[in-house]
Amino acid sequence: MTNIHNLTRTTDDVVIVGGGLAGLFCALKLAPRPVTLISAAPLGQGASSAWAQGGIAAAVAEGDTPEAHAADTIAVGGGIVDEAVALGIAREAAPRIHDLLAYGVPFDRDLEGRLAVGREAAHSARRIVHVRGDGAGAAIIAALSEAVRCTPSIRPIEGFVAEALLTEDGAVTGLQLREAGNPAARPVMLASRAVVLATGGIGHLYAVTTNPVEANGSGLAIAARAGAVIADPEFVQFHPTAIMVGRDPAPLATEALRGEGAILINGDGERFMLAHHPLAELAPRDIVARGVFAEIAAGRGAFLDARTALGARFAEKFPTVHASCIAAGIDPATQAIPIAPAAHYHMGGIAVDACGRSSIDGLWAGGEVSSTGAHGANRLASNSLLEAVVYAARIADDIAGRPIPSPARLPDALVTQRSSSADEASVTRLRAMMSAHVGVIRDGDGLAEAVRSFAALEHEATSITVRNMATTALLVAASAWTRRESRGAHFRFDHPADVPALAQRTMTTLTAAREVAESLSERPLPRTAQPMIA
């Protein structure tokens, strides 16, 4: 590991922020070009991709095609998937799987040595490649972390977060970094004309999430404050089957369990999804999440029942989920698992083109912090890891194919010299507000209340961490308030139908979100209800 204090303030390296799948894969693809990799947590930790249980979607089985994969992606995307992007990603799946195999990822194989494939919700074929059933994310991140540590051209800097993006005349000039978890530390500035943000998602902005604490929207916030265009921030996917055993983040019961025949029941033992969709438990995630939410809201509770489908085979087939259940005193072979929807994946993010370029020159974004148009309003299961590796490779190719100007001289003054410790009460209120008003089911009054609250917090926060969280929360809530319809994962109780004229992606900025907040601050509060966590 390189010590940050051994760095000069200027580097000719490509700087990648984020130690998850997109960041690690991009760094490896750039070799032997010098790369500085900034990671808040030690490599292999703190990344949502390490927790992914499903696997990677890829049309590698006999009889399957990229065209069929793209068609499934488009079908669940709520009418706003960029079809060319979806097809391009599906066509690049097989080469990226072979890259991962070359980096040492031990994908499951069948008895004849071919890649074993499973099926997940809304896929028309078995096309999910796994590692030991439900351990794909952890195995991929472990293999890539080891490959990165063995690559001389990559210098990892662990334990630092990017708290500001430096720009001049619409182009990136560098980053301001600070030691993670130490707001009193003096920030460090690093100059670079080529920055890749791969900082992950926003799940930890919600009170109930499957994401690690690092997934707090910081990358999205610093890009937005630098003026980057943000796409589709209102579309947040809630995984319908987080295991509710009092842990934060909540353990995940992978969708593959339902693919193997597990069913959803309420506290009365009734299988409730049959009334919501012909595919029942294998319906698109947004529909399943709302079905689960409705049972909980009605006081009946919701449970994942694998007793008949798996029974004694549960531990062998799904060891990660089994371990989470056993640790909480639940034997999934003989007991139904209590579940609830949890913030899981952000379809929105920094708007990027087909090469991963943002609207700011010299800034690329990959993985969950970006929005490519591939997912539309609702992500298809196991497409996120695929998108991450496809765009990481494209970003590396794009950077390799263009000259990077010499770094500019950094400003003498820091963007922010001081930062207070994160106010836990403010963080708790923000997360409660997001779950209550910007969650599975939304309405205009609640969204307006959230917008006003987040705008005030963004303005008043003395903690950089809290300000970043409030910035991203404001972008999500303002866009959700503006979209007066229901589409994909965005469901509004006061506008339950989709509006054909609104079948288009959102492109917005932080300035626009603040303008929404200003317009709402001039209106009287419609009600005084306090946010409640379902």
Side-chain angles (χ1 to χ4, degrees):
M1 185 184 90
T2 301
N3 189 305
I4 189 77
H5 301 293
N6 293 337
L7 282 173
T8 59
R9 294 171 74 243
T10 299
T11 176
D12 290 324
D13 291 7
V14 176
V15 177
I16 298 175
V17 186
L21 177 56
L24 296 172
F25 197 82
C26 188
L28 289 166
K29 280 292 189 178
L30 278 164
R33 185 165 188 154
V35 169
T36 295
L37 181 65
I38 311 293
S39 178
L43 291 189
Q45 301 176 29
S48 293
S49 38
W51 296 16
Q53 295 178 5
I56 300 184
V60 293
E62 186 176 348
D64 196 9
T65 65
E67 289 72 21
H69 183 182
D72 290 346
T73 299
I74 294 162
V76 304
I80 61 169
V81 170
D82 185 319
E83 297 188 9
V85 168
L87 182 57
I89 289 175
R91 285 175 171 167
E92 290 177 47
R96 299 293 78 81
I97 294 294
H98 288 292
D99 285 341
L100 291 169
L101 287 167
Y103 289 131
V105 177
F107 288 118
D108 295 343
R109 295 184 180 273
D110 62 21
L111 293 177
E112 296 179 359
R114 296 172 300 197
L115 288 170
V117 288
R119 186 174 177 190
E120 291 181 1
H123 284 275
S124 61
R126 297 181 71 90
R127 66 166 67 98
I128 317 301
V129 292
H130 297 277
V131 179
R132 295 187 301 278
D134 58 5
I140 292 167
I141 294 298
L144 296 190
S145 296
E146 180 61 25
V148 162
R149 293 192 189 283
C150 295
T151 303
S153 59
I154 304 172
R155 67 175 160 186
I157 299 176
E158 297 159 271
F160 279 79
V161 295
E163 63 180 25
L165 192 64
L166 308 176
T167 61
E168 186 177 284
D169 298 327
V172 165
T173 57
L175 290 161
Q176 180 171 305
L177 311 173
R178 196 187 300 257
E179 187 179 350
N182 186 3
R186 180 173 174 78
V188 177
M189 286 197 288
L190 188 62
S192 176
R193 294 282 196 178
V195 173
V196 180
L197 289 181
T199 51
I202 68 166
H204 220 74
L205 297 184
Y206 287 85
V208 182
T209 180
T210 61
N211 293 176
V213 66
E214 289 81 5
N216 62 5
S218 62
L220 185 58
I222 66 172
R225 278 209 300 277
V229 173
I230 306 300
D232 301 334
E234 67 268 37
F235 295 113
V236 181
Q237 186 171 76
F238 296 86
H239 198 290
T241 55
I243 305 172
M244 297 310 293
V245 288
R247 284 171 54 188
D248 181 23
L252 177 65
T254 174
E255 200 159 275
L257 280 159
R258 283 173 279 141
E260 292 294 326
I263 60 173
L264 297 176
I265 60 173
N266 60 25
D268 298 327
E270 298 166 339
R271 188 179 174 191
F272 56 84
M273 279 308 301
L274 291 168
H276 291 279
H277 194 277
L279 291 175
E281 285 82 7
L282 294 180
R285 279 183 176 172
D286 62 309
I287 295 172
V288 180
R290 288 196 292 275
V292 172
F293 183 90
E295 294 301 312
I296 295 170
R300 292 185 289 269
F303 301 84
L304 180 70
D305 185 358
R307 291 173 292 185
T308 300
L310 290 167
R313 297 183 297 123
F314 198 116
E316 178 188 356
K317 292 280 288 184
F318 298 97
T320 305
V321 181
H322 185 265
S324 294
C325 291
I326 295 297
I330 299 167
D331 180 359
T334 60
Q335 295 172 275
I337 305 165
I339 57 165
H344 185 61
Y345 186 84
H346 192 203
M347 279 75 76
I350 301 165
V352 297
D353 67 9
C355 297
R357 299 177 192 168
S358 76
S359 60
I360 298 175
D361 190 33
L363 178 67
W364 290 260
E368 195 172 349
V369 75
S370 70
S371 183
T372 66
H375 307 304
N378 200 34
R379 176 181 67 99
L380 181 65
S382 291
N383 266 357
S384 53
L385 298 186
L386 174 61
E387 179 197 48
V389 292
V390 166
Y391 271 79
R394 289 184 184 184
I395 290 167
D397 287 345
D398 194 46
I399 291 173
R402 57 186 274 172
I404 304 298
S406 297
R409 184 179 180 275
L410 285 170
D412 293 325
L414 294 165
V415 176
T416 307
Q417 284 192 309
R418 294 183 176 86
S419 174
S420 67
S421 297
D423 174 7
E424 290 304 318
S426 292
V427 171
T428 299
R429 283 196 301 273
L430 182 149
R431 297 181 73 196
M433 182 76 74
M434 285 291 281
S435 282
H437 295 326
V438 201
V440 177
I441 296 178
R442 308 163 174 180
D443 67 67
D445 290 350
L447 289 168
E449 186 177 340
V451 168
R452 285 191 288 266
S453 174
F454 300 147
L457 184 57
E458 188 205 19
H459 180 70
E460 298 164 1
T462 57
S463 160
I464 299 296
T465 298
V466 174
R467 185 184 304 166
N468 281 340
M469 292 177 75
T471 296
T472 299
L474 173 61
L475 282 158
V476 176
S479 289
W481 183 86
T482 302
R483 185 175 284 276
R484 296 175 192 179
E485 65 160 355
S486 291
R487 184 174 298 278
H490 169 71
F491 184 84
R492 282 188 55 162
F493 184 75
D494 53 342
H495 294 283
D498 66 304
V499 178
L502 298 180
Q504 54 194 337
R505 300 181 66 201
T506 295
M507 293 292 165
T508 190
T509 62
L510 181 55
T511 297
R514 287 171 174 162
E515 287 172 355
V516 170
E518 286 178 17
S519 73
L520 290 171
S521 68
E522 297 166 2
R523 304 182 185 191
L525 272 172
R527 57 191 171 90
T528 57
Q530 295 299 307
M532 299 291 289
I533 303 174

